Amino acid sequence: MAFHHCHKDPVPQSGLSPERVQARRQLYAACAVCFIFMAGEVVGGYLAHSLAIMTDAAHLLADIGSMLASLFSLWLSTRPATRTMTFGWHRSETLGALASVVSLWIVTGILLYLAFLRLLHSDYHIEAGAMLLTASIAVCANLLMAFVLHQTGAPHSHGSTGAEYAPLEEGHGYPMSLGNTSVRAAFVHVLGDLLQSFGVLAASILIYFKPQYKVADPISTFLFSICALGSTAPTLRDVLLVLMEGAPRSVEFEPVRDTLLSVPGVRATHDLHLWALTLTYHVASAHLAIDSTADPEAVLAEASSRLYSRFGFSSCTLQVEQYQPEMAQCLRCQEPSQA
């Protein structure tokens, strides 16, 4: 891997790559479809007096929030860093994901309260025909969104640049661009929505043919609300990991340390820090204690190259210093404890 003095790439990437432009188009199309059918479900749920339909619409609202956050992060990723935002604007993606989760919790909480009231007082009427029609359209909408977001073939990449990101998922390998990551996440989310829409459709069919089983509507609301809240757990876990400056789950401390120690001339390493600036932007920093006969420039280049190629870090900051025997007893040079 070629380096330009201290940088991995001599010229920063400007604008969006063709792959990310395509990802943006897919997200725009899916977001538009999602918004139109979410509005339709709100109207249909209101006319049908169905809380299950409204719950499905709330889940679509969360989808819109997630896709808007991805689109916003794609746009912000092209903006350069400033003297006050030295890392750039990437973490806005995390804040957008957190806002999406909170909004889903609020809407779902309201719907759960209304469903509880319906279970206590059965003086409500379900327009089964309107509910069945709306649920059928919702299934078609999710199928259309899945088609728009579907990606054929495995993504292909030869490394990351300052504007590309490594995935947070478990496992190693070459980093995946933000466009691929965002579209894939949206696609998986839509598949979950599709299963929920089939559940609402099944409840509407039951109520249509057996109106006396209208209690299926609030019961479905409870079940699908639990699913909707449960679907936010991975997002919330990742958001908390980022906000707490935690190490990416796909990058472990020991392999990175051993990789640095395997560089010729490196005797010890300390102050090794790994963190996820965002869900897909991984950063590393460390001090390398080298032999007095080692070439600091050669050590720096080799260590940086290994970190970029093996772990897909987006940014690495390494400080090279001469090894001192007292480092072995220095408390501040010891490795952190296990979590």
Side-chain angles (χ1 to χ4, degrees):
M1 180 179 295
F3 283 80
H4 179 70
H5 57 90
C6 62
H7 302 296
K8 183 174 55 164
D9 298 288
V11 180
Q13 183 180 6
S14 60
L16 294 176
S17 65
E19 180 186 52
R20 300 173 79 188
V21 169
Q22 175 64 21
R24 185 176 62 180
R25 290 173 180 169
Q26 288 177 289
L27 289 171
Y28 271 134
C31 195
V33 172
C34 193
F35 178 80
I36 292 172
F37 283 98
M38 182 198 71
E41 278 200 314
V42 170
V43 174
Y46 176 79
L47 295 177
H49 309 120
S50 171
L51 291 179
I53 295 293
M54 301 294 280
T55 304
D56 200 36
H59 211 163
L60 288 179
L61 175 64
D63 289 347
I64 293 176
S66 299
M67 286 186 280
L68 287 177
S70 297
L71 287 167
F72 189 55
S73 62
L74 280 171
W75 172 71
L76 279 182
S77 66
T78 63
R79 299 190 63 184
T82 66
R83 294 184 180 182
T84 54
M85 297 290 185
T86 55
F87 271 114
W89 304 80
H90 304 293
R91 191 158 280 184
S92 60
E93 173 189 0
T94 305
L95 298 178
L98 181 60
S100 176
V101 169
V102 172
S103 65
L104 178 61
W105 284 359
I106 293 174
V107 174
T108 302
I110 295 173
L111 292 172
L112 282 173
Y113 172 74
L114 295 176
F116 181 72
L117 291 180
R118 284 195 170 185
L119 288 177
L120 290 179
H121 312 285
S122 59
D123 55 343
Y124 62 92
H125 174 69
I126 301 293
E127 293 291 343
M131 182 181 179
L132 179 59
L133 177 62
T134 306
S136 302
I137 294 175
V139 171
C140 296
N142 281 295
L143 287 172
L144 179 59
M145 284 191 292
F147 175 77
V148 171
L149 293 170
H150 179 63
Q151 292 178 308
T152 57
H156 183 67
S157 175
H158 291 290
S160 67
T161 65
E164 291 186 345
Y165 307 81
L168 190 63
E169 291 81 6
E170 299 289 347
H172 302 292
Y174 287 112
M176 184 187 300
S177 73
L178 175 60
N180 271 335
T181 305
S182 301
V183 173
R184 176 172 292 185
F187 177 71
V188 172
H189 204 163
V190 166
L191 289 182
D193 293 346
L194 181 60
L195 293 178
Q196 178 173 322
S197 296
F198 275 120
V200 175
L201 179 61
S204 64
I205 293 175
L206 175 63
I207 296 174
Y208 183 80
F209 289 103
K210 299 287 184 178
Q212 63 271 27
Y213 293 136
K214 64 180 181 179
V215 72
D217 182 72
I219 291 177
S220 298
T221 301
F222 274 107
L223 294 177
F224 300 144
S225 294
I226 293 173
C227 294
L229 294 177
S231 68
T232 65
T235 300
L236 184 61
R237 177 191 59 191
D238 289 340
V239 166
L240 292 178
L241 178 72
V242 169
L243 296 181
M244 293 299 294
E245 303 284 355
R249 294 195 311 275
S250 61
V251 181
E252 297 181 359
F253 184 90
E254 289 79 7
V256 176
R257 177 202 60 197
D258 295 341
T259 297
L260 293 174
L261 291 175
S262 67
V263 175
V266 175
R267 291 282 302 276
T269 179
H270 62 93
D271 286 325
L272 174 59
H273 298 285
L274 312 172
W275 71 98
L277 184 64
T278 72
L279 301 181
T280 51
Y281 194 112
H282 301 170
V283 184
S285 67
H287 289 204
L288 304 179
I290 64 173
D291 292 322
S292 57
T293 57
D295 181 2
E297 294 294 334
V299 170
L300 177 62
E302 178 64 21
S304 299
S305 176
R306 293 188 184 190
L307 291 183
Y308 283 127
S309 61
R310 295 184 185 181
F311 302 100
F313 285 111
S314 300
S315 177
C316 297
T317 302
L318 302 176
Q319 177 176 314
V320 179
E321 58 196 26
Q322 188 171 341
Y323 177 77
Q324 302 292 335
E326 56 266 23
M327 288 180 176
Q329 284 76 39
C330 178
L331 295 178
R332 303 187 67 175
C333 293
Q334 303 304 310
E335 293 182 0
S337 60
Q338 293 285 345

